[in-house]
Amino acid sequence: MPSSSFFLLLSFSLLLRSVYGADYLYHFCSASQNFTSKGPFEANLNKLAGNLYLQVPKLGFGFGSSGQKPDQVFGLGLCRGDVSPSDCKKCVANASGEIRKRCPTNKAAVIWYDNCLYKHSHEKFFGRIDNKNKVYMWNVKVVNKTAQFNEEIRELLHELVDEAHETPKLYKTGDSEIEDSKTKLYGLVQCTRDLSNGDCKKCLTGIIGELRSCCDGKVGGRIISGSCNFRYEIYPFYKA
């Protein structure tokens, strides 16, 4: 996939979601590689989409390929760890359909929703950390004690990473008390399950290291990439 990075205000994101669907976040299309409509690559892409639609909701994750070189397609789908199989199925269906509308002849593309990630490519990407496709999102409201707040976010997220990378789902949520405040901080981390435990930790640690660039002192924020993501808020946003 092409090298892509995007910085996106959460308030603008909410506008996009109201227009394009309840939980749409963002997408990227490959810039250089395209396929011919109604050709063998498209047939393989359609078959792969059908396989992922059946596979992903069962365990919240699925990946595979369809066809043979030079028209082979690789893809995966990941649902957020707290999403039900029925909601996962809906999200995968929406994502696979929407990505074809937005990237109609692109050989590689990725789309993010609140509930799922969907990705396909002409190149085999399984087991590789994808930090090229990445989006920063944040709330515009800023806290008073920025440095202290940032440190509390980092501490919570790193605690979650230490647990998440050893779980079968490569997913963890949790909360912590904000010092000198009655407010709680809520966090979530997750990786795509084609990554090894070690690479999951590496991926999450890497994007948490970009916390200041993304969300310095913001009351809510997230970084979503093609392989891992984190989110934090001062309100519960996931199912316990």
Side-chain angles (χ1 to χ4, degrees):
M1 286 192 178
S3 178
S4 307
S5 188
F6 197 78
F7 302 86
L8 189 66
L9 284 172
L10 184 58
S11 56
F12 180 61
S13 145
L14 294 175
L15 173 62
L16 287 174
R17 288 163 63 183
S18 67
V19 174
Y20 293 124
D23 59 356
Y24 164 81
L25 296 176
Y26 205 73
H27 74 280
F28 286 119
C29 307
S30 62
S32 57
Q33 296 289 336
N34 294 296
F35 62 86
T36 303
S37 180
K38 298 182 180 179
F41 188 92
E42 184 173 32
N44 291 331
L45 187 57
N46 291 337
K47 184 177 180 180
L48 175 66
N51 291 340
L52 292 177
Y53 175 74
L54 295 175
Q55 182 187 158
V56 176
K58 296 177 182 178
L59 297 174
F61 175 74
F63 68 104
S65 66
S66 178
Q68 302 294 325
K69 294 182 179 180
D71 297 303
Q72 190 171 12
V73 188
F74 303 88
L76 66 73
L78 172 72
C79 286
R80 205 171 76 182
D82 61 334
V83 173
S84 69
S86 60
D87 286 342
C88 180
K89 193 171 187 177
K90 291 176 185 176
C91 193
V92 171
N94 288 338
S96 61
E98 199 62 33
I99 202 171
R100 295 296 300 281
K101 293 177 184 178
R102 296 168 186 270
C103 311
T105 59
N106 297 90
K107 284 191 172 183
V110 56
I111 189 167
W112 294 273
Y113 284 71
D114 263 343
N115 283 351
C116 70
L117 155 72
Y118 190 92
K119 179 180 177 183
H120 72 252
S121 177
H122 59 295
E123 297 179 343
K124 188 175 182 180
F125 58 85
F126 307 140
R128 302 175 187 170
I129 297 175
D130 176 11
N131 275 325
K132 295 180 180 179
N133 296 288
K134 188 187 322 179
V135 183
Y136 289 6
M137 306 179 76
W138 62 87
N139 191 306
V140 294
K141 187 176 180 181
V142 182
V143 299
N144 293 324
K145 298 179 180 179
T146 298
Q148 178 184 325
F149 188 68
N150 287 346
E151 185 57 32
E152 290 175 337
I153 294 168
R154 276 191 290 267
E155 287 181 7
L156 173 59
L157 293 177
H158 280 300
E159 286 177 7
L160 296 178
V161 170
D162 286 342
E163 296 184 57
H165 85 282
E166 295 182 342
T167 67
K169 282 189 174 184
L170 302 183
Y171 164 85
K172 189 67 180 179
T173 61
D175 60 72
S176 64
E177 296 280 351
I178 297 177
E179 189 176 343
D180 301 325
S181 172
K182 295 181 180 179
T183 305
K184 266 191 174 183
L185 188 63
Y186 299 85
L188 176 154
V189 298
Q190 186 172 20
C191 297
T192 57
R193 282 181 246 164
D194 59 310
L195 295 185
S196 67
N197 298 74
D199 280 343
C200 174
K201 186 173 184 177
K202 182 179 179 181
C203 185
L204 287 169
T205 301
I207 60 173
I208 292 171
E210 300 175 34
L211 180 66
R212 188 172 180 181
S213 299
C214 159
C215 321
D216 190 24
K218 304 299 191 299
V219 297
R222 63 169 75 177
I223 297 179
I224 50 178
S225 80
S227 292
C228 65
N229 70 90
F230 76 74
R231 181 181 178 185
Y232 72 90
E233 303 286 354
I234 57 171
Y235 62 86
F237 60 90
Y238 50 80
K239 297 175 183 177

